[in-house]
Amino acid sequence: MRKEEKTALIQQMQEGFGRASIALVSEYKGMTAGESADMRRRLRAIRGEMRVAKNTLIRRAIKDTPYAALDAQLGGPVGLILSFEDPVELAKAVSGFDRELGEKFKIRGGVLDGKPLTPDDVQALATLPPKEVVMAQLLGLLNAPATRLVRLLNEPGSMMARAIDAIGKKNGAGAAAEGA
C-alpha cells in the first residue's frame, strides 16, 4: 500500500469514528468469504460496517479520539465494527454472529461513549430491550404520577355525583311507590 492510500484509509476511518455511536474490535480466524460477506450485509442492514485494516493504521485513526481505548484490544488479525445508529441493535447482531460462528469470530471489546467495553459488557448490552421499548417504558413512568394526580383530584367530585345519584334513585323509587 502506498502512503497516499494509507492516508486516505486513515481519513476514512476517522470519518467513520466521527459518525459512530459504538465501535467494537473482533477477532476473525477461519471465516469463509461467504460468512464474511453475510456478516457485512447484515451489519449494513442495521447501519453498521466492518472494516479490516492493519493495526498501525487503526491506531493512527483512533489517536486523540474518544475511541483511543480500542488500542489495548488491537493485535493480530482484527476487524473493526462500527455502528452509526442504535448500539444495542449492533450488540445483538454481533452476539448472534458470535453464537453462529463459534470459534471463528469473537469480540475482544469496544468503546461506547468514550468508555471501554469488555466482551461481557457487549453481551449485557445485547440483552437490553430495543430503544423504542425503553422509550415507551420511560414515557409510562413519567405519565403515571400525572394520571394518579388527576384521579385523586377527580375522586371527590365523582363521590359526590354517585351519592346524589343514589339519593335520587332512592327518592325516585320511594316517590314512584307513593304515586302508585
Side-chain angles (χ1 to χ4, degrees):
M1 222 181 206
R2 291 195 325 255
K3 186 174 182 176
E4 299 84 29
E5 293 171 334
K6 290 179 183 179
T7 306
L9 182 60
I10 290 171
Q11 179 112 13
Q12 286 176 348
M13 284 193 288
Q14 286 174 336
E15 289 172 8
F17 283 121
R19 296 182 301 133
S21 60
I22 185 173
L24 301 175
V25 174
S26 66
E27 265 182 47
Y28 63 95
K29 291 183 182 176
M31 283 178 59
T32 65
E35 291 169 336
S36 179
D38 180 50
M39 180 186 305
R40 290 172 193 264
R41 181 183 48 76
R42 288 167 51 188
L43 286 171
R44 273 193 304 274
I46 59 168
R47 298 232 340 112
E49 69 179 30
M50 179 178 173
R51 291 180 163 262
V52 176
K54 289 185 174 185
N55 291 322
T56 55
L57 297 179
I58 295 173
R59 281 187 178 100
R60 287 183 185 167
I62 63 175
K63 189 175 183 180
D64 299 328
T65 68
Y67 297 99
L70 291 175
D71 191 9
Q73 297 153 354
L74 297 176
V78 296
L80 186 63
I81 301 172
L82 302 175
S83 174
F84 306 109
E85 287 288 319
D86 189 11
V88 174
E89 199 171 353
L90 178 77
K92 287 181 183 198
V94 168
S95 294
F97 299 145
D98 199 12
R99 283 190 302 272
E100 289 173 24
L101 299 174
E103 292 296 315
K104 295 179 181 180
F105 180 82
K106 290 182 184 175
I107 294 296
R108 285 189 181 179
V111 172
L112 174 64
D113 293 331
K115 296 179 183 124
L117 298 173
T118 64
D120 293 333
D121 294 338
V122 175
Q123 291 295 330
L125 193 60
T127 62
L128 291 175
K131 185 178 181 179
E132 293 79 21
V133 172
V134 172
M135 296 296 277
Q137 290 172 342
L138 179 62
L139 182 62
L141 286 173
L142 293 174
N143 198 17
T147 303
R148 277 192 248 133
L149 178 63
V150 168
R151 220 178 282 135
L152 179 66
L153 293 174
N154 194 26
E155 191 59 32
S158 297
M159 285 176 51
M160 177 79 84
R162 286 192 296 267
I164 292 172
D165 187 46
I167 292 170
K169 286 181 181 177
K170 181 179 174 186
N171 290 342
E178 288 177 16

